[in-house]
Amino acid sequence: MAHIVVLLLVALGLYGADLNWTIVKEHNLTFYRQLAKELNKSRPDYRLQKTLVDRIITLEQRDEELIDPKRLKPKDGKALIDTFLSIGDLLTHSKRLQEENRKLQTQLEDIEEEIQEVDENSSLTLSLEYAYYFKQQERNQKHIDAIIGQSPAWLEELLANLDRYTFHYDPSAYKTLLKRIERLDKGIRKYEIEGERYRILGSQERLARVNKRLVSLQAQKEKLLRQALALRLAQFFEALKRKDQQVFQIKREILQFLEQEGADPAFIESLEELLDRAITLRMGRKYALWLTIKDELLTFLHANSVLGIPLYRFAQGLGVFLLFLLFRRLFTLLILRSIYHLTNKTSTTIDDKLIKMVEGPLKFTFIIIGLYFAFDIAGLQNETSQRIIKSLVIFVIFWLFYNLVGLLDETVYRFARKFGKELYREIGAFFVKSLKIFIFAIGLVSILQTWDINVSAFLASLGLGGLAFALAAKDTAANLFGGLSILADRALKIDDWVKVGSVEGTVEEIGLRTTKIRTFQKSLVTVPNQYIANNPIENFSRRNMRRIKMRIGLVYSTTREQMVAIVQDLRNMLQSHPGIAKNATLLVYFDEFGASELSIFIYCFTNTANWAKYLAIREDINLKIMEIVARHGSDFAFPSESLYIEKVPEELWKK
């Protein structure tokens, strides 16, 4: 060993002011004892060097205490709580050591910088100082790693047989401890004020006595806090043994109690970690996570409010409302589906229509009931909520009446037949729409009355605004009366081919305000009834025949005899044709000498108004006209010009 020390001193001489890592890294106690003997006693910093070496030896000899394995198998619930708190103390100690190591690291960095600036005589002292702090940091880290690494296993073994322990929580004893702690707090505040007074006066003797008393009171308070904490932990472990969700509430109360009493934040943090780990071990990770989220959500809902009402009441109301939505879904899937299945087996359709009439209002009734109970549970039973419910009830009632009109539409159409079989659909549709609008208006007025809105007074109070409204509605009223006049005059009906102004097509719908006409280009034109009532209506569907009007031109080479025969044959052909109306006008005459043809005028009517049949008749007539003209040796003329030359120049003849 003496040889080692000699080598060390040689190294110090060689490296000068560099850090001696041999001193830092060595763990052999014999080395440090020999180094202590070899120190130069004549140096002024000998005493400091000797103290540092002794502290290093003491540090190397110190054995950090952990949890005795025997304590992990306690004999009763009280011993389990004591061991649990001991684990918490060790975790708190590890957090303090972590903070200490951060400070030690700063000191080590400062010493490294200082070594570069001193001579070799001071480097040994700094190396020893660095070694002491380094070993202390190293020792702390080992202790931290041991505590953090082993604490989960300690807790798991401690709670392995939790079911066989009994925990007793005495609420009266807990309240007594709180009262004693409160009295101690008052005494502590009193002595702190007194100590501040003696500090100002400079009375050191009295200040020392006060400080001594404060230390004693603080120790008593710490002891009582420990006892109160043990009682609450007994309550916690009893709930944990039952896997009761109450453990989260107890945990939260324990931590709040420690914070209020000014306990060490590191201890509070360590205890919270242990409590959370205990819950996870006992209940399982997934279930514990679910319960944690649920507890945090409940805590948030209880701690916050809107309009003075806690959020949890809103959540309860929402839950009830969603429950009634579920009932609504079940009602649709089970009851309504069964009823539809039964009605499909009956021969009549009245029951099917009746179920369709009440289906929507019945399903919406679940929403109204859900809203009523949701408002009641959430504490929102006020005038506004009551009006909302009343308005929804009125809405459902008039919804039933509105659907009832659809159920009675066949009866309305049968009644409309009394006004005419041709327009009964239009008149019936008018009655149905008018009745629906009437029901809608009455329902709207009823809802407005629920909100204390006097509709008649409102309309009367409009004044000039009402006049403007009436003027704005002038066209609507004109269209309404125009529709009534169309139905009364029977000027047109659905499926009629009509032409109104520039609009021509088939009537698809006659409404109260407009009439819809489908053009032959298949576009839909919506025409205001006022326009139809004030313009001529050409109804092609009302005629029973269609006109044929044409001219045929024969060539000028046709003789008189040929022309007479052709005209007579054409007249006979039309008079005998089955498609030509016999009681209508029929004209066939040679009436004009055209520019390039002899023109024959033909005018007659077919006995049908159907367009396809009309075209077939006209095609047959055209073919017969061609046959008659050809049979008499004539032909059809076409536009032409004749050029007459009176004299040809002599030069052209010579050529």
Side-chain angles (χ1 to χ4, degrees), residues 594-650:
S596 59
E597 81 281 346
L598 301 175
S599 179
I600 301 175
F601 175 71
I602 299 176
Y603 187 89
C604 61
F605 291 88
T606 63
N607 56 11
T608 180
N610 184 277
W611 192 28
K613 293 180 181 179
Y614 163 78
L615 292 176
I617 294 172
R618 184 156 186 167
E619 179 185 19
D620 184 61
I621 290 174
N622 290 338
L623 293 173
K624 284 182 169 53
I625 290 173
M626 293 175 64
E627 180 184 351
I628 291 172
V629 171
R631 187 171 64 244
H632 289 282
S634 182
D635 203 355
F636 295 98
F638 53 87
S640 60
E641 292 182 358
S642 298
L643 180 64
Y644 297 92
I645 303 176
E646 293 183 355
K647 182 179 180 180
V648 179
E650 186 178 353

Side-chain angles (χ1 to χ4, degrees), residues 154-183:
W154 294 339
L155 187 62
E156 185 175 359
E157 186 176 354
L158 182 65
L159 301 180
N161 300 311
L162 184 64
D163 291 327
R164 66 187 183 89
Y165 296 108
T166 303
F167 302 92
H168 301 284
Y169 170 66
D170 187 355
S172 60
Y174 180 71
K175 291 181 180 178
T176 302
L177 286 172
L178 292 183
K179 290 180 180 179
R180 293 176 61 185
I181 292 172
E182 185 178 359
R183 287 196 297 269

Side-chain angles (χ1 to χ4, degrees), residues 246-303:
Q246 190 183 8
V247 293
F248 293 98
Q249 178 65 23
I250 299 172
K251 183 197 81 169
R252 190 162 48 251
E253 291 175 357
I254 289 173
L255 298 176
Q256 290 175 354
F257 166 70
L258 293 175
E259 289 178 359
Q260 290 173 359
E261 296 300 331
D264 185 0
F267 177 73
I268 296 175
E269 183 180 353
S270 301
L271 186 63
E272 184 177 8
E273 293 176 4
L274 282 177
L275 293 174
D276 289 336
R277 197 176 299 165
I279 293 172
T280 303
L281 286 173
R282 180 63 178 175
M283 297 184 175
R285 184 176 299 277
K286 291 183 179 179
Y287 185 56
L289 178 61
W290 158 245
L291 290 179
T292 301
I293 295 173
K294 181 180 177 182
D295 179 73
E296 290 179 354
L297 179 60
L298 291 175
T299 302
F300 174 79
L301 294 176
H302 280 77

Side-chain angles (χ1 to χ4, degrees), residues 443-540:
L444 180 61
V445 170
S446 300
I447 292 175
L448 293 176
Q449 290 287 354
T450 302
W451 292 90
D452 292 337
I453 299 175
N454 191 331
V455 179
S456 58
F458 173 72
L459 293 176
S461 64
L462 289 177
L464 293 177
L467 178 60
F469 178 79
L471 291 175
K474 176 176 64 67
D475 291 339
T476 301
N479 288 326
L480 175 62
F481 287 106
L484 294 175
S485 65
I486 291 172
L487 296 177
D489 295 341
R490 301 182 181 182
L492 51 84
K493 66 179 187 298
I494 295 175
D495 294 333
D496 277 0
W497 171 17
V498 298
K499 181 178 182 182
V500 182
S502 60
V503 180
E504 182 179 0
T506 304
V507 178
E508 282 199 355
E509 180 182 343
I510 302 174
L512 295 177
R513 197 182 70 84
T514 60
T515 296
K516 295 179 180 178
I517 299 176
R518 180 75 65 178
T519 66
F520 295 118
Q521 288 78 25
K522 299 306 179 184
S523 61
L524 185 66
V525 180
T526 302
V527 184
N529 289 336
Q530 178 187 7
Y531 180 80
I532 296 177
N534 295 330
N535 284 276
I537 302 173
E538 187 175 0
N539 194 326
F540 298 103

